[in-house]
């Protein structure tokens, strides 16, 4: 904190305007976060995604039978949090992509985010039956997050299944700590936080970049 205060004062003196100094300081903090932590979202990604969505819509209008383009469009709509639109694109593809675990996970997630837990959980479970390791086990995390409040015991089971596939995940320990806290098991929640932080310290450098934001969240829970 002292270093940032000094940097702010120095920038104010250098630039002659405290408002500009604040803006410059925020830009520096954003650049540091994007480089080393990753808690803040990318400013450029939404523009690239919007452009790709527009191109896909144009392509699909001229080639309505292109299933792979429709699936890509739905995934981008999910990233844009347009879950209702994504489900509308995905629903007609059930016959064509019946054997695709990725497809059923995308469809299930789009329904979960609309508040339809029954359909969402059923479709994601179907994805896991087709391929328990689809998307490196991420569907288990989706199910755990969805069941955290109404079925915490099953949510714990989902996390155990995820960890059996992807044991070096700080995200899993973050969700595990949250679930234990929701269940009133404070001690287990603290142990999950400690184990997650221990895991992070033991990770090789190349893995820490992707897990860092979850380690920060674990620190905040400590």
């Amino acid at each position: 904190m002292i270093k940032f205060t000094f940097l702010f004062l120095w920038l104010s003196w250098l630039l002659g305007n405290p408002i500009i100094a604040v803006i410059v300081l925020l830009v520096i903090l954003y650049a540091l976060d994007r480089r080393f932590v990753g808690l803040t979202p990318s400013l450029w990604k939404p523009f690239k995604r919007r452009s790709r969505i527009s191109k896909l819509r144009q392509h699909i209008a001229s080639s309505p039978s292109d299933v792979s383009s429709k699936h890509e469009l739905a995934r981008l709509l999910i990233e844009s949090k347009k879950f209702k639109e994504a489900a509308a694109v995905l629903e007609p593809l059930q016959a064509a992509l019946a054997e695709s675990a990725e497809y059923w996970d995308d469809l299930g997630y789009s329904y979960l985010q609309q508040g339809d837990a029954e359909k969402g959980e059923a479709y994601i479970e179907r994805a896991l039956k087709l391929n328990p390791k689809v998307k490196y086990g991420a569907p288990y995390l989706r199910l755990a997050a969805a069941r955290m409040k109404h079925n915490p015991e099953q949510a714990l089971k989902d996390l155990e299944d995820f960890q059996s596939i992807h044991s070096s995940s700080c995200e899993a320990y973050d969700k595990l700590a949250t679930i234990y806290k929701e269940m009133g098991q404070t001690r287990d929640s603290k142990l999950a936080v400690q184990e997650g932080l221990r895991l992070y310290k033991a990770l090789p450098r190349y893995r820490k970049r992707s897990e860092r934001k979850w380690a920060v969240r674990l620190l905040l829970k400590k």
Side-chain angles (χ1 to χ4, degrees), residues 168-220:
S168 57
S169 168
C170 293
E171 181 181 1
Y173 282 106
D174 178 72
K175 284 185 165 56
L176 188 62
T178 301
I179 293 172
Y180 276 133
K181 189 174 181 180
E182 291 282 343
M183 295 172 68
Q185 298 177 217
T186 306
R187 182 175 178 278
D188 288 329
S189 179
K190 290 181 179 179
L191 287 173
V193 169
Q194 292 171 7
E195 186 61 21
L197 292 173
R198 184 203 62 75
L199 169 66
Y200 177 75
K201 290 178 181 178
L203 288 174
R205 184 176 297 179
Y206 75 92
R207 280 293 315 282
K208 285 186 175 180
R209 177 65 179 85
S210 61
E211 295 292 325
R212 193 167 287 137
K213 68 178 180 179
W214 299 107
V216 171
R217 295 186 186 190
L218 286 167
L219 276 173
L220 295 174

Side-chain angles (χ1 to χ4, degrees), residues 124-162:
I124 292 177
E125 285 176 349
R126 183 167 180 173
L128 291 169
K129 285 181 180 178
L130 286 169
N131 181 4
K133 296 183 179 180
V134 63
K135 297 182 181 178
Y136 301 99
Y140 288 115
L141 292 178
R142 304 193 204 286
L143 289 175
R147 292 164 169 167
M148 195 178 294
K149 292 186 177 180
H150 72 85
N151 193 349
E153 290 81 7
Q154 183 58 49
L156 288 175
K157 176 64 168 57
D158 294 328
L159 285 174
E160 289 172 3
D161 290 337
F162 172 77

